[in-house]
């Protein structure tokens, strides 16, 4: 066969070397790719030796962590706002309950003034007002237990708890004995109610629209308290036989201070409220309050002309109650508005927290999905290029070279199948470059095979021509030997015959080198 002849010829030349595939097998019998791998530049954990997918994931990890941190900070800020808004909502509930409790305390004091001063301690109005106060206290205690534990609120609640301890004694001594003179009963109830009114200032510690309600609720509560004080003191001054001269002077002074305090509170409310709240106060006082009649009676009481003006405890109580109730309606509306604003803030903060969290999570998931798809695409292309390169180096190129060495070059299909990477990025460009390298390697192998075939043909032709001439020469020499009788000339002819025989052997060697069979075959031993 041609391959065996070629192998014999190569052995005859003395330069036989194993094919590249065999050399790779000799280098590492367990991992053929070891022959194509460069020496490692670092350890196993060196980033230079990481997979493409690992590198991509590592590159994307840092911005993902940064986005997660900043997104988490935004979510935390929204959650903090939500918790703060929740605290504001609980505080607003407490302020509304405190306003109701304070109103009940003042109403209890005022409604008990005339019956207690006239000795009617078992009056129905007194029982109903105290029952309303107790109900308001239970409602307040419930919201106080749910209130946030801020330092300012704890301090105010502690102050009220201390002041509230005086309420049972106040009820026992209200408008009786020493408490019937001066303003002891009025001052005692005011001391209990004032800490409740101060709780409205806690709304100022929260952001947004809730802050403004703290000032307005406190101002209207102060006006309500001043109106209540006037209602109680007016009854005290109008009830017959009335207080002593000393007590009357103190009560008149407190009555005037109450009127002044009411004007100050209304001025504070007007300066710190929105235009809508100011209009609401004006309309409420013009409708429910009917302050003109109340101011006339108050002027008569201050000038000690109540008897001449026809003012009575009942007329005064009715007139001042309308103003008192008007303040209460505004106070109740403002407290409700503060609670509604706190609830809206809580709802908005919760919505913002959920939206921010959803946006961050969706953005991270979208980024990870896109990065994963891009990394998977790049990794897939890289793996295809790697597998194709190893396949060409280990199988296709050695098989083509082997086929070219076994068959006539013109009969071997030297077309190169491209690497299955069709992208137009750098990986695709590397694949096309590798296809070009593959084609050049096959072309060079085909040229080398054709060159070897041409050399073998030349050797064979030269050998056959020499063989023909040498055979003719040997025939002539044999004829001369048969007719020569001179020993010296015959010896020369024998030498020529020996040299021709050696030339014939050299020609046979050329046939062997060209891969052809020798011209002569010996099928038996020579003589």
């Amino acid at each position: 066969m041609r391959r065996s002849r070629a192998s014999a010829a190569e052995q005859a030349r003395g330069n036989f070397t194993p094919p590249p595939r065999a050399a790779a097998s000799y280098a590492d019998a367990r991992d053929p790719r070891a022959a194509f791998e460069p020496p490692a530049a670092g350890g196993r954990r060196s980033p230079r030796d990481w997979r493409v997918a690992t590198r991509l994931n590592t590159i994307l990890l840092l911005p993902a962590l940064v986005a997660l941190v900043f997104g988490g900070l935004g979510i935390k800020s929204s959650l903090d706002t939500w918790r703060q808004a929740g605290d504001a909502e609980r505080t607003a509930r407490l302020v509304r309950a405190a306003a109701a409790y304070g109103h009940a305390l003042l109403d209890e004091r005022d409604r008990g003034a005339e019956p207690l001063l006239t000795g009617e301690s078992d009056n129905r109005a007194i029982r109903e007002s105290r029952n309303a106060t107790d109900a308001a206290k239970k409602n307040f205690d419930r919201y106080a237990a749910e209130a946030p534990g801020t330092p300012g609120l704890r301090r105010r609640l502690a102050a009220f708890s201390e002041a509230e301890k005086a309420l049972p004694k106040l009820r026992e001594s209200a408008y009786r004995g020493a408490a019937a003179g001066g303003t002891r009963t009025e001052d005692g109830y005011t001391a209990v109610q004032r800490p409740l009114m101060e709780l409205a200032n806690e709304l100022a510690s929260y952001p947004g629209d809730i802050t403004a309600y703290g000032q307005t609720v406190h101002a209207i509560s102060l006006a309500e308290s001043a109106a209540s004080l006037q209602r109680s003191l007016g009854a005290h001054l109008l009830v017959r036989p009335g207080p002593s001269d000393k007590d009357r002077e103190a009560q008149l002074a407190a009555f005037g201070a109450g009127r002044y305090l009411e004007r100050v509170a209304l001025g504070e409310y007007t300066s710190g409220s929105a235009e809508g709240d100011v209009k609401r106060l004006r309309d409420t006082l013009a409708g429910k309050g009917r302050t003109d009649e109340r101011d006339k009676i108050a002027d008569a009481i201050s000038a000690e002309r109540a008897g001449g003006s026809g003012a009575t405890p009942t007329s005064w109580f009715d007139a001042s109650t309308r103003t008192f109730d008007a303040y209460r309606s505004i106070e109740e509306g403002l407290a409700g508005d503060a609670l509604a604003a706190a609830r809206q803030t809580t709802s908005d903060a919760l919505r913002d927290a959920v939206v921010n969290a959803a946006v961050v999570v969706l953005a991270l998931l979208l980024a990870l999905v896109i990065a994963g798809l891009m990394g998977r695409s790049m990794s897939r292309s890289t793996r295809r290029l790697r597998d194709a390169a190893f396949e060409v180096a280990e199988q296709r190129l050695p098989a083509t070279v082997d086929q070219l060495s076994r068959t006539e070059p013109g009969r071997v299909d030297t077309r190169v199948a491209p690497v299955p990477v069709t992208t137009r990025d750098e990986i695709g460009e590397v694949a096309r470059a590798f296809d070009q390298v593959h084609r050049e390697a096959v072309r060079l192998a085909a040229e080398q095979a054709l060159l070897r075939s041409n050399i073998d043909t030349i050797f064979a032709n030269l050998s056959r021509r020499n063989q023909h001439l040498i055979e003719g020469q040997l025939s002539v020499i044999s004829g001369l030997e048969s007719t020569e009788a001179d020993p010296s000339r015959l010896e020369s002819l024998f030498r020529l015959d020996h040299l021709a025989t050696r030339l014939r052997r050299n020609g046979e060697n050329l046939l062997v080198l060209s891969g052809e069979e020798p011209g002569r075959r010996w099928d038996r031993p020579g003589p």
Side-chain angles (χ1 to χ4, degrees), residues 378 381-382 385 419-435:
M378 294 179 64
S381 299
T382 306
L385 179 60
V419 175
V421 176
T422 58
T423 58
R424 297 184 179 179
D425 57 357
E426 289 81 356
I427 299 176
E429 293 175 355
V430 172
R432 302 291 75 78
F434 184 80
D435 290 340

Side-chain angles (χ1 to χ4, degrees), residues 33 381-397 417-421 431-432 434-435 438:
R33 300 179 181 181
S381 299
T382 306
R383 285 196 300 268
R384 287 178 179 174
L385 179 60
R386 178 200 62 189
D387 295 341
F390 278 120
E391 181 183 0
V392 169
E394 296 176 8
Q395 300 177 12
R396 292 164 59 184
L397 186 57
V419 175
V421 176
R432 302 291 75 78
F434 184 80
D435 290 340
H438 187 192

Side-chain angles (χ1 to χ4, degrees), residues 17 69 127 132-133 141 146 151-152 178 189 203 285 295 312 340 345 366 381 438 451-452 472 514-515:
T17 56
V69 169
R127 294 195 303 271
T133 302
D141 290 342
E146 301 173 357
Y189 272 93
L203 294 176
L285 291 180
D295 290 342
T312 63
T345 303
L366 183 60
S381 299
H438 187 192
L451 179 61
R452 287 196 301 270
S514 65

Side-chain angles (χ1 to χ4, degrees), residues 100-117 119-139 164 166-176 179 185 189 231:
Y101 190 12
H103 172 80
L105 283 171
L106 297 177
D107 200 51
E108 173 185 328
R109 177 192 65 186
D110 299 346
R111 291 186 180 279
E114 183 179 1
L116 288 175
L117 287 171
E120 299 181 22
S121 58
D122 195 24
N123 188 277
R124 178 180 177 183
I126 297 176
R127 294 195 303 271
E128 290 179 351
S129 62
R130 290 184 177 180
N131 289 336
T133 302
D134 293 339
K137 170 182 168 52
K138 291 181 180 180
N139 189 54
E164 191 182 29
L167 183 59
K169 293 182 179 180
L170 276 175
R171 286 177 170 177
E172 291 179 1
S173 61
Y175 302 107
R176 297 187 184 93
T185 299
Y189 272 93
R231 183 174 65 167

Side-chain angles (χ1 to χ4, degrees), residues 325-345:
D325 290 343
Y327 288 145
R328 171 56 189 161
S329 66
I330 297 174
E331 179 190 47
E332 190 174 15
L334 289 174
D337 293 343
L339 179 58
R343 286 174 176 171
Q344 184 62 40
T345 303

